[in-house]
Amino acid sequence: MLQKVVFTDIDGTLIDLISGKYGESDKLIYTLREKNVPIVLCSAKTFAEQNKIRDDLGLMDPFIVENGGAIIIPKNYFDFQFDIEQNRIKEEQGYIIIELGESTREIRTKLGEIKKKLKIEFKGVADVSIEELSRLATMPIDYAKRMSEREYGETILQIKKSDLPTFTTSIEKMGIKVIHGGRFFDVTMGTDKGKAVSILINLFRKKYRNQIKFFGVGDSANDASMLKLMDVPMVVQKPDSSWSELEIKNVIRLKGIGPEGWKSAFDKIMEMN
């Protein structure tokens, strides 16, 4: 029997970009869980942020945090031992954590060097209090606290538009990747969503012995490296009702913004064999 596995972005896809509400997607996730379809969250969000969402949705599957910074796998989820070459693996709080990205500390150090050298003013999560982060990100204090718990990157909250090209060019020369999201942008080093997804795909293939089809749902260019690896890549509409221009073969452009688009993705997942 064919096994289905779903990889999904969160902001602007599974949940509304601004309000953070699920719409109908929480009920759809429940239906997929009932049918034993693994659902892998793959997002810029932190471990703490995604764990809250997983609790909300009752998810028990692996997840990918901070744009591929780490893969988090519940202990004993895979009934075989594995060793991922050239990556850091640790056990913590009942999870096996495969670390792919460089540490937030190292990235913030390099950001400090850029700020000092170029005299560019910008604010990252580390530069503001939880209260200010809550205000800038328009989210409750407890949500802002979870957002602040970064381990594999930094989120840039404020920068002059005129400084952005110089900032991007300089930071990329240091080996740091700039990833534009819906409202802010993230900087990471050493990984992306695709690298993390490819590792999990191989583990799922071994678990289900290749009788498997992968579905991916995203909304932006940041999801391209994930979607390229999917059997069925899908994108929902952005808030302006357009679709991100992605050079991905056979990508399905779904009608609906955020959770409404995710409902269309659910329909595709249910009908395909």
Side-chain angles (χ1 to χ4, degrees), residues 64-231:
I64 295 169
V65 302
E66 298 190 44
N67 294 304
I71 303 166
I72 317 296
I73 303 172
K75 193 174 178 182
N76 301 321
Y77 184 87
F78 294 108
D79 59 355
F80 52 84
Q81 291 187 332
F82 54 87
D83 180 27
I84 311 299
E85 292 183 5
Q86 300 179 336
N87 292 305
R88 309 180 303 277
I89 301 180
K90 63 182 182 181
E91 278 192 36
E92 200 172 274
Q93 300 177 46
Y95 295 101
I96 297 171
I97 301 174
I98 304 172
E99 296 182 305
L100 304 174
E102 298 300 330
S103 71
T104 294
R105 178 182 296 180
E106 181 174 349
I107 291 169
R108 285 174 175 164
T109 297
K110 291 184 181 295
L111 287 173
E113 294 171 6
I114 287 287
K115 186 177 288 189
K116 184 176 180 181
K117 179 181 177 182
L118 300 178
K119 303 295 190 293
I120 293 177
E121 286 302 315
F122 55 86
K123 282 186 178 181
V125 168
D127 301 317
V128 301
S129 66
I130 296 297
E131 290 73 19
E132 187 175 0
L133 177 59
S134 172
R135 179 180 61 80
L136 291 172
T138 58
M139 60 174 59
I141 290 288
D142 56 332
Y143 282 68
K145 185 176 185 303
R146 287 190 286 269
M147 180 181 175
S148 73
E149 296 176 19
R150 309 203 69 78
E151 296 182 77
Y152 309 101
E154 177 62 302
T155 298
I156 306 301
L157 304 166
Q158 289 183 332
I159 188 171
K160 288 182 180 178
K161 192 173 182 179
S162 58
D163 287 334
L164 188 54
T166 301
F167 173 87
T168 301
T169 299
S170 300
I171 207 167
E172 287 179 346
K173 286 180 180 177
M174 301 176 77
I176 298 178
K177 189 177 297 184
V178 176
I179 301 173
H180 292 276
R183 299 176 64 194
F184 309 117
F185 66 89
D186 295 314
V187 290
T188 63
M189 190 173 180
T191 191
D192 59 24
K193 287 187 176 184
K195 183 176 180 181
V197 167
S198 66
I199 290 172
L200 268 183
I201 279 177
N202 288 333
L203 293 175
F204 275 117
R205 286 196 187 283
K206 186 173 181 180
K207 178 181 177 74
Y208 295 115
R209 292 167 177 77
N210 288 321
Q211 299 298 310
I212 187 167
K213 180 172 281 190
F214 295 101
F215 297 81
V217 194
D219 74 318
S220 70
N222 183 28
D223 300 311
S225 61
M226 169 184 78
L227 296 174
K228 285 179 181 177
L229 299 170
M230 299 292 111
D231 297 311

Side-chain angles (χ1 to χ4, degrees), residues 2-39:
L2 182 70
Q3 174 67 48
K4 299 177 181 180
V5 176
V6 177
F7 286 79
T8 182
D9 178 47
I10 299 176
D11 286 328
T13 306
L14 187 67
I15 65 176
D16 183 80
L17 182 63
I18 304 301
S19 71
K21 292 182 178 179
Y22 294 104
E24 291 185 52
S25 59
D26 53 352
K27 298 182 181 66
L28 305 177
I29 290 288
Y30 179 82
T31 299
L32 291 173
R33 282 177 43 224
E34 288 289 290
K35 294 182 176 298
N36 296 314
V37 175
I39 299 148

